[in-house]
Amino acid sequence: MAIMYALKSSDNEIFEVEQKVIEQSETIKKMIEDGAATGEIPLQVSSKTLAKVLEWCKQRQHKTVENENDDNKGKRKKERDEDDDIKEWENKFSDELKADKDVLFDLLLASNYLDLPALLSFLCQLVADMVAGKMPEEIRRMFNIENDFTPEEEKAITAEHGWAFQP
Amino acid sequence: MDLRMDKVDRISALPEGILQHIISFLSFKQAVQTSTLSKIWKQAWLTYPILNVDRTDKDPERRRVILTYLGQTLLKRDMEMISITKLVLKMELTSYEASYIEQSLQYAVRGCKLELQSRVNLPSLRNLSLAQIDASDQVIDYVVSGCPLIEFLRIDDCLELKSLKLFNLDKLKKIKVSFNEKLERVEINASNVHSLSITYTVTPCWINVVLCKNLKQLKLWSLSITDEWLCNEISELLLLEYLDVACCMNLESILISSSRLKTLFIGGCINLVEAKIEAPSLSAFSYQGDMISFSFNALALSEVDLYFYTDDSDAEWLFKFIEALAKFHQFSEVINLKIDSIEHMLVPRALRQTLMPPLSGTKHLNFRNSYACLRFPIMEVVDSLLWISPHLETLSIEIGSRNKIFLQFSYNNPVIYEGETPRCCQSRPISCWQHCMKKIEIEHTKNYIGEVINRYSFVEEEILEMLEKIDAALLI
């Protein structure tokens, strides 16, 4: 019987989760170890975001459990298939986040707060992919970044960094 | 989608660490681009400690621009004290190109993980310091072998370094290698090196420097070198003038035979029991540590510094101490003697009748008491020091770092006592100071700044009385 924990989101929704799944979060793991996690574990994460976080954690947990149950025979093939499955799942996950950047940033902050290094890296890579190959003006528009340099500052920056904009 | 959200810049509100994490997945060029987005992004780039120059451009102009930028960035980070934790340079540089970055490399590559794909040519670099570099033997070799004109090389705290081989670097003059924990092997064949320092490598390390034929200065601190190694290596280094050996725990018996050696320091080798020195040119010798036995053949010796630890001193220690001092009396006119506390070297009066004063030829004795207070009257101290070294011209006594007493003596002629010999002088070749002292001038300085608080000048009968006055002054 798997040990279950109850996580409480900032908007008071309860999520019942297996210990193995939530222990990927160093923050929660520490709370459990410190004995601070009797009953519900209150988290500063909205239910919408927490659901996404758990979706990610379960997917990864799923992967590790299956690997443990493998015999060596036919493992290669299985692994390859599995990798394809994960890729597909990740692509879908990424597409959703790209479409709703608000969720993306909530998730970034949550992964930072919950100390989920794999998710954090995944999301940073995702943002980097969105940025890569785009000119600053496009990036600003994509993320609503305000160009807060004065014209003089802008001139100095172009002089220093201009080379990076040449093809 | 909520329209309001379109206007909010959420990405720039992320913690700087996350922005830098995002930057870490970008190419060097794109990473530089992000620094032009806004002030927040500029700041994130300015403090980002990793420079990963992944460009392998062929176009010379573009390469020049990138390298100039890298050079400026390294310099800027150094000025802002932002250490670079990782520097990756994938380009193979021509000698001309290297000149754009070599100066800044010198200063900025500190505490850095260095990854190089091939040899870096830094053809005019003269001074290279690699500190806290996380780099393999191979990478260090790439860097060093690409600097044919290098004169000064310093390698500190490179924890991955296991084997250091320096060959065919004819311009190399000075080498310092320290705190490289995993260093197992050092082999240097650089004929013009005149100064070499290998320090703080406590793991057993095989060292060979005998091919540095022009070596004049050698410093060996905290190494696992053996008696035999030291003896052989020194005998091969014919031009060696300066040797400093300290905290080498495996040394038990130091045997040094060197014709040119002028300065020798030995200190803190806790297992040392003897030092045999054959050095006809030696002029300055310094020893610090437990009492050991000395054997000297060093006729040119003019200044001796001795600091003996007194942790486990006893009656036997005192005999050894007197015996050790006696080894220096024929060589040195100036002796600097330091001891933690004077009580260990006060020679009991009964002993003075049977022993010979060890430093009868010494003219100037500078004594330092580490502790800030003397547990004995200054009279006793002067008396004891004047037994050790009768007929001194000057005696300086430093107590802690606060008090210094400088005494200048003149004696009645003849110094050799004739006629009726007082009992205290009977067993001696020369009379004891109390019976031939003509005049003493005393200067007592106090405080760190060296303010003279008292000057005394007096003759014969007043001596004891005056010394008592100084005792009183010391207590203030």
Side-chain angles (χ1 to χ4, degrees):
Chain A
M1 224 341 236
I3 304 168
M4 302 294 280
Y5 279 89
L7 306 180
K8 193 165 96 176
S9 69
S10 58
D11 47 350
N12 295 324
E13 207 172 304
I14 305 290
F15 293 79
E16 291 272 341
V17 200
E18 261 184 62
Q19 182 177 5
K20 275 195 172 169
V21 172
I22 55 162
E23 274 197 339
Q24 291 176 53
S25 156
E26 290 296 326
T27 308
I28 296 177
K29 194 177 169 188
K30 212 156 175 254
M31 286 166 98
I32 294 173
E33 280 168 4
D34 291 351
T38 47
E40 295 156 0
I41 304 175
L43 297 172
Q44 297 303 314
V45 181
S46 73
S47 53
K48 191 180 170 189
T49 312
L50 192 53
K52 271 272 177 237
V53 169
L54 294 174
E55 199 184 317
W56 163 271
C57 290
K58 278 175 194 159
Q59 171 64 23
R60 283 189 66 87
Q61 176 60 21
H62 185 61
K63 185 189 165 188
T64 42
V65 169
E66 275 195 0
N67 278 353
E68 274 167 22
N69 294 342
D70 271 341
D71 355 290
N72 285 333
K73 221 177 178 183
K75 190 175 172 182
R76 280 265 162 107
K77 165 102 177 64
K78 213 172 171 189
E79 238 171 38
R80 233 186 354 253
D81 290 350
E82 215 167 76
D83 283 353
D84 288 347
D85 287 351
I86 290 167
K87 271 270 151 57
E88 207 185 309
W89 182 89
E90 282 182 349
N91 284 340
K92 202 174 135 264
F93 194 74
S94 307
D95 287 343
E96 282 171 31
L97 297 176
K98 277 186 206 165
D100 190 347
K101 290 199 269 299
D102 233 22
V103 180
L104 170 61
F105 293 127
D106 285 338
L107 212 47
L108 262 167
L109 290 170
S111 63
N112 193 42
Y113 160 65
L114 293 172
D115 200 355
L116 286 158
L119 179 58
L120 184 63
S121 278
F122 175 81
L123 296 168
C124 287
Q125 173 79 65
L126 181 65
V127 177
D129 291 345
M130 291 163 80
V131 165
K134 297 205 172 57
M135 293 300 279
E137 207 36 62
E138 290 176 86
I139 300 168
R140 287 194 194 111
R141 210 177 315 136
M142 192 189 326
F143 294 112
N144 306 311
I145 299 167
E146 191 200 342
N147 181 355
D148 55 357
F149 293 117
T150 63
E152 290 80 37
E153 286 170 333
E154 180 120 43
K155 214 171 158 186
I157 286 165
T158 316
E160 194 185 342
H161 302 92
W163 64 269
F165 299 107
Q166 284 152 15
Chain B
M1 200 191 292
D2 189 349
L3 280 176
R4 190 181 52 87
M5 287 305 174
D6 280 347
K7 299 241 158 51
V8 179
D9 174 8
R10 292 206 52 196
I11 194 166
S12 303
L14 293 171
E16 192 174 78
I18 297 185
L19 294 185
Q20 291 178 337
H21 201 151
I22 294 169
I23 290 173
S24 75
F25 290 111
L26 294 170
S27 70
F28 187 63
K29 184 174 148 174
Q30 189 89 48
V32 174
Q33 280 192 25
T34 61
S35 72
T36 69
L37 289 171
S38 70
K39 285 179 178 164
I40 285 177
W41 284 86
K42 186 181 171 198
Q43 186 59 27
W45 171 246
L46 279 181
T47 55
Y48 183 54
I50 299 171
L51 293 174
N52 182 352
V53 187
D54 49 8
R55 306 275 294 179
T56 48
D57 268 299
K58 290 272 185 290
D59 179 61
E61 176 55 19
R62 238 179 271 167
R63 292 163 64 95
R64 186 190 68 81
V65 169
I66 292 170
L67 290 170
T68 309
Y69 178 79
L70 176 65
Q72 285 168 352
T73 307
L74 287 170
L75 219 58
K76 211 184 281 177
R77 301 278 165 105
D78 189 53
M79 263 153 43
E80 305 264 325
M81 314 254 283
I82 297 159
S83 63
I84 291 171
T85 56
K86 185 170 173 177
L87 174 68
V88 181
L89 194 56
K90 293 216 167 122
M91 285 186 214
E92 192 167 346
L93 306 182
T94 67
S95 53
Y96 182 63
E97 287 172 340
S99 65
Y100 296 121
I101 54 161
E102 63 183 24
Q103 199 201 351
S104 30
L105 263 181
Q106 255 183 62
Y107 300 106
V109 188
R110 172 171 281 274
C112 172
K113 182 169 175 63
L114 199 59
E115 281 177 22
L116 300 166
Q117 303 304 310
S118 65
R119 209 169 92 163
V120 186
N121 287 305
L122 301 169
S124 51
L125 192 71
R126 283 163 207 279
N127 185 336
L128 176 66
S129 173
L130 300 171
Q132 297 163 21
I133 305 284
D134 180 3
S136 63
D137 297 353
Q138 176 83 76
V139 167
I140 302 268
D141 188 49
Y142 278 156
V143 177
V144 174
S145 63
C147 308
L149 291 190
I150 188 162
E151 290 175 5
F152 175 57
L153 173 65
R154 183 173 180 151
I155 301 181
D156 283 356
D157 218 351
C158 292
L159 297 184
E160 292 309 310
L161 185 66
K162 289 201 175 110
S163 166
L164 180 67
K165 285 183 186 171
L166 301 171
F167 289 160
N168 303 324
L169 292 164
D170 290 341
K171 299 280 178 188
L172 203 50
K173 293 197 173 103
K174 210 170 165 186
I175 307 171
K176 277 188 169 182
V177 180
S178 59
F179 292 106
N180 301 289
E181 271 179 27
K182 290 192 187 148
L183 198 60
E184 289 166 358
R185 198 177 173 89
V186 178
E187 216 172 334
I188 302 173
N189 179 359
S191 56
N192 288 312
V193 168
H194 65 71
S195 169
L196 170 64
S197 154
I198 306 176
T199 53
Y200 302 103
T201 298
V202 188
T203 50
C205 180
W206 185 90
I207 300 172
N208 184 358
V209 296
V210 292
L211 293 170
C212 300
K213 289 294 175 202
N214 282 304
L215 199 63
K216 290 201 171 78
Q217 297 193 6
L218 180 60
K219 178 168 162 180
L220 304 163
W221 279 20
S222 284
L223 299 177
S224 58
I225 52 172
T226 62
D227 297 341
E228 197 187 0
W229 180 88
L230 186 67
C231 178
N232 292 341
E233 212 83 354
I234 301 306
S235 64
E236 298 272 339
L237 298 168
L238 299 177
L239 298 183
L240 198 67
E241 290 178 356
Y242 175 104
L243 177 64
D244 182 352
V245 182
C247 303
C248 294
M249 304 309 173
N250 290 346
L251 293 179
E252 289 173 9
S253 170
I254 289 181
L255 174 60
I256 287 170
S257 174
S258 168
S259 57
R260 297 274 190 106
L261 196 65
K262 288 196 176 105
T263 309
L264 174 63
F265 294 103
I266 299 174
C269 300
I270 54 169
N271 292 313
L272 197 65
V273 288
E274 62 173 347
K276 291 181 184 169
I277 317 292
E278 296 267 341
S281 308
L282 193 70
S283 66
F285 173 72
S286 171
Y287 175 80
Q288 177 173 343
D290 292 324
M291 186 56 63
I292 61 167
S293 85
F294 293 97
S295 147
F296 261 90
N297 187 2
L299 283 170
L301 203 57
S302 62
E303 182 134 5
V304 175
D305 255 297
L306 300 169
Y307 175 14
F308 293 117
Y309 300 159
T310 51
D311 300 340
D312 40 29
S313 58
D314 48 19
E316 199 191 345
W317 185 93
L318 190 63
F319 280 109
K320 282 185 177 167
F321 170 71
I322 292 169
E323 195 184 333
L325 287 185
K327 293 281 162 49
F328 296 98
H329 91 277
Q330 55 173 320
F331 302 122
S332 189
E333 290 200 343
V334 181
I335 302 259
N336 302 311
L337 187 62
K338 186 178 171 187
I339 210 157
D340 290 328
S341 185
I342 183 81
E343 64 198 79
H344 302 288
M345 52 165 277
L346 290 179
V347 185
R349 290 217 156 67
L351 263 183
R352 295 185 202 177
Q353 302 300 326
T354 53
L355 291 174
M356 289 286 287
L359 292 174
S360 49
T362 303
K363 297 269 189 297
H364 309 278
L365 183 63
N366 301 316
F367 173 74
R368 283 188 64 187
N369 191 73
S370 310
Y371 299 154
C373 71
L374 284 178
R375 292 192 209 159
F376 292 85
I378 191 83
M379 176 62 216
E380 289 273 323
V381 176
V382 172
D383 185 47
S384 192
L385 289 171
L386 282 173
W387 175 79
I388 286 172
S389 195
H391 305 120
L392 281 175
E393 286 172 17
T394 66
L395 170 63
S396 137
I397 301 174
E398 271 184 71
I399 305 148
S401 49
R402 283 187 63 192
N403 284 292
K404 186 173 173 179
I405 298 159
F406 184 77
L407 304 96
Q408 203 161 357
F409 308 102
S410 52
Y411 300 88
N412 282 320
N413 285 327
V415 169
I416 306 297
Y417 214 87
E418 283 168 358
E420 210 177 307
T421 307
R423 209 169 64 83
C424 60
C425 302
Q426 274 169 5
S427 60
R428 306 181 183 198
I430 40 182
S431 58
C432 69
W433 68 278
Q434 276 160 329
H435 293 102
C436 60
M437 189 70 73
K438 188 170 152 200
K439 189 177 167 198
I440 305 185
E441 282 173 66
I442 299 184
E443 194 175 279
H444 178 195
T445 47
K446 208 163 175 155
N447 300 332
Y448 304 99
I449 44 171
E451 172 204 0
V452 178
I453 60 163
N454 268 315
R455 275 205 183 86
Y456 313 89
S457 177
F458 41 84
V459 290
E460 293 175 29
E461 308 79 42
E462 308 163 331
I463 290 172
L464 295 182
E465 195 186 322
M466 288 313 290
L467 286 171
E468 272 166 25
K469 276 191 186 166
I470 295 176
D471 260 329
L474 278 174
L475 294 172
I476 300 164

